[in-house]
Amino acid sequence: MTAVHLSVRDLTKRFHLHLLGGKTVVGFEGISFDVAEGEFVGLAGPSGSGKSSLLKAIYGSYLVQAGTLLYRCIDGSIVDLATADDETKLALRRREIAYVSQFLRPAPRVKAIDLAARPLIAQGVDEAEARERIATLFDRLRLPRDLWESYPVLFSGGEQQRVNLARAIASRPRLLLLDEPTSALDPSLQQTVVHLLAEERSRGVTMIGVMHDETLLSRLADEVVRLDRGRLAQAGVASAQWN
Amino acid sequence: MNVAPAGPWALRVVGLGKWFGPGCDACLAETGPEAGRSTCPRCGTVVACAGVSFDLRPGGVLGIVGESGSGKTTVLRCLNGDLTPSEGIALLGSVGGGERDIFTVSSQERRQIRNFHLGMVYQSAREGLNLRISAGGNIAERLLAAEWREVAAIRRRALTLLERMEVPRSRMDQPPATFSGGMQQRVQIAKAIANGPSVVLLDEMTSGLDVSVQAGVLDLIQEIQRAERMAMLVVSHDLGVVRLLCERTIVMKNGRIVEAGLTDQILEDPQHPYTQLLVSSINA
């Protein structure tokens, strides 16, 4: 049996808005599901159902109020991401967990290829090799070569998204969190990304992905967790849901 | 608030406090973010900072943000030895096996620490540089303090550093008084890192620069930090600077730490009312 990579239990996120008289907004509530090693779990549901918030909570950009996020590290040890200290989270981000956000926030004067190669270089990969790996991915993602040495702040949304994807995939994470990784791409590029992600999954990378396009999601996901207004609506095998 | 986990660190600060004035029993209770002031209403003492604790890992970049008067620069100045703290301890991983409190060392040892282990970049180049001697001379001064003796080697090192900071070779023998603000800051950075310090303290180093020059300086800082794997403590009121440079961030208000966390968490999911105000102000 495949080991559980991430176990989400009773996870709750509420936003306490001090500037609005202490109003509380629920991000999600009482979410539980497991992700096995090498599995692709899709998160589905209407806008505002808490999908992206859940991804951010797993990555550590959001703090949760209750529940656990038990993560199995490469050495077999278990870390609760919900309560782990900052240095532990940073170490995991360097070595194991990558996140493709919906929008890239590039540094103003860093070239696309350098931006994408940074996590690799931080892992200790030789600079030439890091650039080489990124170049291969840029080619696959059909990022025009004349953009490689340009600044991504000037790129279109779709171009930025490809830089973002290459950056995350190249670092060979064990867990890849994807927030709408294809939303700004045309159908043909979407197919390319689906192929690329399927390859990563066959290499054993565990993935949790938010995708609005449920047809694309069904092609990748082993399982779909469906959210509705911050609650778990349904969890099950993808094909069973779609057919 | 306890910021830091255990583990290896380049700099550890525990319970740092600095006040100006006689101090009384009410000072700590009557000042701080809840009280909304830094001056004690009973005795008039200014509590510039109190109870400041954090760890900075080797090669890590930690930001301190907060409004003017929140105490962030006081923290840096205490660490650099420009101010004598009223309480607290600070340990450098590279000094005395990390067991020597740098706040209580002799003035001679203090100089050694400044010359070999710490670098500081001030908001104003006037403070960090001698504007009347040449750019190369400024760096040489720092190298001489760190017991570099060979003139040719000093010159080579100065040239390499200035070139890395994109200061043209032709300007090396000119005084920084004739440089633009951005170039002065780049010389200051070259000087601060000349001796390969384990920790660099940066105080609002891009505040006086226009946006495009700022971007260039920040880019160079990032590059050099990565290449040299120096730990950096970055004080700024600009959340954009912190977003770009820092993996972790501390938020200060009225001399106290109100929140600390991963920079993306501080910016995307701020917890403290003041941090929420700060973040909503830049996104507005």
Side-chain angles (χ1 to χ4, degrees), chain A residues 13 15-19 56 60-63 85-87 89-90 93-94 105 107-110 118, chain B residues 5 57 212 215-216 219 222 226 229 243-244 247-248 261-262 264-265 268-269 271 273 276-277 280:
Chain A
K13 170 69 196 163
F15 297 92
H16 194 64
L17 308 173
H18 295 282
L19 302 183
K56 286 184 179 183
S61 301
Y62 282 179
L63 298 176
D85 60 57
D86 290 347
E87 292 298 344
K89 287 190 230 175
L90 285 170
R93 286 182 182 188
R94 280 192 293 274
R105 260 188 205 276
R109 292 210 187 156
V110 182
R118 270 184 182 174
Chain B
R57 74 172 178 91
S212 66
D219 185 29
Q222 254 189 325
R226 286 208 171 85
R229 296 189 185 270
R243 186 200 289 281
L244 199 64
E247 55 190 15
R248 288 172 54 225
L262 298 176
D264 51 302
Q265 180 258 303
E268 293 184 45
D269 189 19
Q271 306 291 306
Q276 291 190 356
L277 178 68
S280 69

Side-chain angles (χ1 to χ4, degrees), chain B residues 61-92:
Chain B
V61 187
L62 175 68
I64 306 183
V65 297
E67 62 202 358
S68 306
S70 61
K72 49 197 196 314
T73 296
T74 302
V75 171
L76 275 203
R77 287 185 181 265
C78 287
L79 290 171
N80 197 45
D82 299 335
L83 288 174
T84 307
S86 308
E87 62 178 15
I89 60 171
L91 308 168
L92 276 172

Side-chain angles (χ1 to χ4, degrees), chain A:
Chain A
M1 216 180 87
T2 330
V4 173
H5 194 162
L6 178 72
S7 177
V8 181
R9 283 290 171 276
D10 302 317
L11 204 67
T12 296
K13 170 69 196 163
R14 294 185 209 101
F15 297 92
H16 194 64
L17 308 173
H18 295 282
L19 302 183
L20 298 175
K23 185 179 166 187
T24 297
V25 174
V26 175
F28 50 80
E29 205 151 26
I31 305 288
S32 301
F33 63 94
D34 285 342
V35 186
E37 301 252 13
E39 189 182 34
F40 191 121
V41 169
L43 298 179
S47 301
S49 57
K51 310 182 294 290
S52 296
S53 296
L54 187 51
L55 272 194
K56 286 184 179 183
I58 296 169
Y59 191 60
S61 301
Y62 282 179
L63 298 176
V64 293
Q65 274 67 43
T68 55
L69 280 164
L70 299 182
Y71 177 85
R72 188 187 302 273
C73 305
I74 192 158
D75 63 3
S77 61
I78 309 276
V79 171
D80 182 2
L81 298 176
T83 53
D85 60 57
D86 290 347
E87 292 298 344
T88 304
K89 287 190 230 175
L90 285 170
L92 283 171
R93 286 182 182 188
R94 280 192 293 274
R95 293 193 300 260
E96 301 201 17
I97 304 177
Y99 171 62
V100 177
S101 58
Q102 214 167 338
F103 307 103
L104 180 70
R105 260 188 205 276
R109 292 210 187 156
V110 182
K111 292 169 181 169
I113 194 154
D114 294 326
L115 184 73
R118 270 184 182 174
L120 278 176
I121 295 167
Q123 283 176 356
V125 176
D126 168 70
E127 195 174 329
E129 195 201 321
R131 287 173 72 97
E132 185 70 39
R133 271 202 233 167
I134 297 297
T136 311
L137 280 165
F138 278 178
D139 265 337
R140 280 225 35 204
L141 291 164
R142 283 177 273 148
L143 187 73
R145 288 192 173 213
D146 53 355
L147 295 183
W148 295 8
E149 303 279 342
S150 310
Y151 305 131
V153 268
L154 308 169
F155 291 8
S156 74
E159 288 158 356
Q160 288 189 352
Q161 201 158 44
R162 282 175 274 169
V163 174
N164 215 356
L165 270 165
R167 176 182 160 100
I169 291 173
S171 67
R172 298 195 179 144
R174 290 182 63 234
L175 173 64
L176 184 55
L177 306 170
L178 301 153
D179 194 358
E180 298 283 5
T182 58
S183 60
L185 304 177
D186 64 43
S188 135
L189 272 167
Q190 285 182 346
Q191 297 305 324
T192 307
V193 171
V194 167
H195 283 303
L196 196 60
L197 293 176
E199 265 174 45
E200 291 303 305
R201 190 187 45 182
S202 64
R203 266 208 251 190
V205 178
T206 308
M207 291 185 236
I208 305 175
V210 172
M211 279 169 141
H212 216 73
D213 185 329
E214 300 210 350
T215 324
L216 287 180
L217 192 61
S218 67
R219 288 184 44 202
L220 282 166
D222 300 298
E223 200 171 330
V224 170
V225 170
R226 190 169 289 278
L227 301 181
D228 187 21
R229 281 166 289 180
R231 300 269 183 174
L232 204 60
Q234 187 184 19
V237 178
S239 54
Q241 281 194 39
W242 311 120
N243 299 329

Side-chain angles (χ1 to χ4, degrees), chain B residues 126-149:
Chain B
R126 204 171 296 279
E127 275 192 85
L129 295 176
N130 182 335
L131 295 181
R132 289 180 312 264
I133 65 168
S134 71
N138 267 284
I139 292 167
E141 204 175 60
R142 180 118 175 102
L143 292 170
L144 284 166
E147 293 165 11
W148 286 53
R149 289 291 172 260

